Amino acid sequence: MIVDYAIYRDGRRTEGPGDFSDGLDHCRRVGGAFVWIGLYEPTEKEFDKVTQEFGLHPLAVEDALTAHQRPKLEVYDDSLFVVLKPVGYEADSDVVTSGEVMVFVGDSFVVTVRHGEEAPLAAVRHRLEEEPEMLRHGPTAVLYSIADAVVDHYVDVAGELQTDLEELEAAVFSPTGGGSRTTASRIYAFKRQILEFRRATGPLAQPLARLTGVGLADRVPFVNDKSRPFFRDVNDHLMKVNESVEGLDRLVSDVLSAHLAQTSVRQNDDMRKISGWAAMAAVPTMIAGIYGMNFDHMPELHWLWGYPAVILLMAALEVLLYRTFKRRGWL
């Protein structure tokens, strides 16, 4: 459905024709104006009129309707198509959630299509309407502001992930927390969330690099050349986020390896203790087994002090084994 429709001229929201097709004609006629239409999870029927009036490419329209796209930038004859994946982080459940924002930029128009709840478009529109100097740059200002808002939120999510990873790391290396049976599953689940985050941030690097225009021969159409420094700033922030994500991924892998090593060491300690106690139990069992064989001719069988002597011998051997194992750290 259409969430908002507005005409902007000289950086300010103005009155115009109620029908957006007439509004587009009006903007092109008067100059210095553009139409911004915002849609939320539109159906194919709802999007048909927008497609026809703005001349959107059918491949881009298909992507906008079906969603589940990677961040990308596509250049068509009559428009520029950009896909962004805003993310959110639920700290209570340690889950990264994502949505999608598709932006069509053309001659005197911007069409935004939102999927999911993680999309800051309402806040972006409100902020832009309070900054007429920025909005005066036309559709490029809308594209920049949306990308800037999405990437800024990436920075916040990366910080929250870093905090939670530090807490998980402290739990793993604590005297008792590292031995929990759920620790490995928690670490693996956290690694999955980092992967989900990377799917949003990683593929966006190339589209933003194209928008900056640095070192690229082909100029991206429908983008104001004066906006290049702004896109470079967004790209710098994205690079920092991607570096942070790489660091998080390596660190959580190291934490998982450390946990598995701790588990292996703990199991070895347990096996040594079990082996030590088993050896101590074997000595009296052996001696008792010998004297339980019912032979007539056995050492000291008819001696009065034979039974106490054997008990003392077993006790002495047990003490000797215990001290030996204790000295070597087996018990």
Side-chain angles (χ1 to χ4, degrees):
M1 63 177 180
I2 297 179
V3 178
D4 201 352
Y5 155 68
I7 295 175
Y8 297 91
R9 184 179 183 186
D10 294 327
R12 299 192 180 279
R13 187 165 181 155
T14 62
E15 296 293 333
D19 185 79
F20 56 79
S21 59
D22 295 334
L24 180 60
D25 293 337
H26 170 75
C27 291
R28 288 172 173 171
R29 185 172 59 254
V30 300
F34 69 95
V35 175
W36 182 0
I37 298 178
L39 300 100
Y40 175 70
E41 297 184 356
T43 63
E44 185 176 353
K45 183 178 180 180
E46 292 172 336
F47 208 47
D48 277 345
K49 188 175 181 181
V50 177
T51 301
Q52 295 171 3
E53 295 298 334
F54 292 92
L56 306 180
H57 196 279
L59 291 177
V61 171
E62 181 181 358
D63 289 345
L65 289 174
T66 57
H68 304 293
Q69 304 296 318
R70 286 165 53 91
K72 62 180 180 178
L73 184 152
E74 300 285 351
V75 178
Y76 298 102
D77 293 336
D78 299 322
S79 63
L80 182 71
F81 179 60
V82 180
V83 179
L84 303 167
K85 289 183 73 70
V87 299
Y89 184 60
E90 299 176 6
D92 295 337
S93 56
D94 295 340
V95 174
V96 173
T97 57
S98 63
E100 291 185 42
V101 174
M102 288 78 168
V103 185
F104 295 87
V105 178
D107 179 21
S108 302
F109 73 85
V110 177
V111 177
T112 55
V113 182
R114 179 167 63 93
H115 291 269
E117 299 300 325
E118 301 298 339
L121 296 190
V124 169
R125 186 187 289 264
H126 180 71
R127 186 172 68 251
L128 274 175
E129 290 178 353
E130 294 182 346
E131 299 179 3
E133 289 299 322
M134 174 66 71
L135 198 54
R136 192 171 284 119
H137 290 87
T140 303
V142 177
L143 177 59
Y144 157 72
S145 297
I146 294 174
D148 184 54
V150 169
V151 174
D152 281 349
H153 198 55
Y154 287 167
V155 176
D156 297 336
V157 172
E160 293 177 0
L161 285 171
Q162 179 67 44
T163 300
D164 283 358
L165 180 56
E166 290 174 356
E167 294 176 356
L168 181 59
E169 185 179 14
V172 168
F173 291 103
S174 67
T176 56
S180 174
R181 294 182 177 180
T182 62
T183 302
S185 61
R186 285 178 59 199
I187 297 173
Y188 182 75
F190 194 84
K191 190 174 180 64
R192 292 283 300 176
Q193 301 313 310
I194 294 176
L195 176 61
E196 182 69 22
F197 189 33
R198 176 183 281 178
R199 287 173 179 166
T201 63
L204 186 58
Q206 184 178 6
L208 276 182
R210 292 183 63 187
L211 290 171
T212 62
V214 177
L216 299 174
D218 57 329
R219 176 182 176 275
V220 179
F222 309 109
V223 175
N224 193 323
D225 289 336
K226 295 181 179 179
S227 67
R228 308 294 180 184
F230 295 96
F231 284 112
R232 283 200 294 270
D233 180 67
V234 178
N235 191 47
D236 288 342
H237 292 169
L238 180 65
M239 290 175 62
K240 293 179 181 178
V241 170
N242 282 329
E243 290 173 359
S244 177
V245 172
E246 290 291 337
L248 288 172
D249 188 59
R250 287 195 300 269
L251 185 56
V252 75
S253 296
D254 292 343
V255 170
L256 180 58
S257 298
H259 169 68
L260 295 177
Q262 280 184 325
T263 302
S264 179
V265 170
R266 192 175 295 110
Q267 289 175 344
N268 289 337
D269 288 341
D270 292 342
M271 287 302 299
R272 285 190 298 180
K273 291 179 181 179
I274 293 171
S275 300
W277 287 112
M280 292 174 61
V283 171
T285 301
M286 179 188 66
I287 296 175
I290 291 173
Y291 278 89
M293 290 190 293
N294 298 322
F295 291 128
D296 288 334
H297 303 287
M298 295 187 68
E300 312 301 338
L301 186 61
H302 300 289
W303 182 38
L304 180 62
W305 300 101
Y307 179 75
V310 170
I311 295 298
L312 289 174
L313 176 62
M314 289 191 293
L317 290 174
E318 290 295 295
V319 171
L320 178 62
L321 288 173
Y322 179 81
R323 294 186 62 182
T324 302
F325 292 147
K326 192 72 173 178
R327 190 182 308 113
R328 294 184 178 182
W330 283 35
L331 296 177

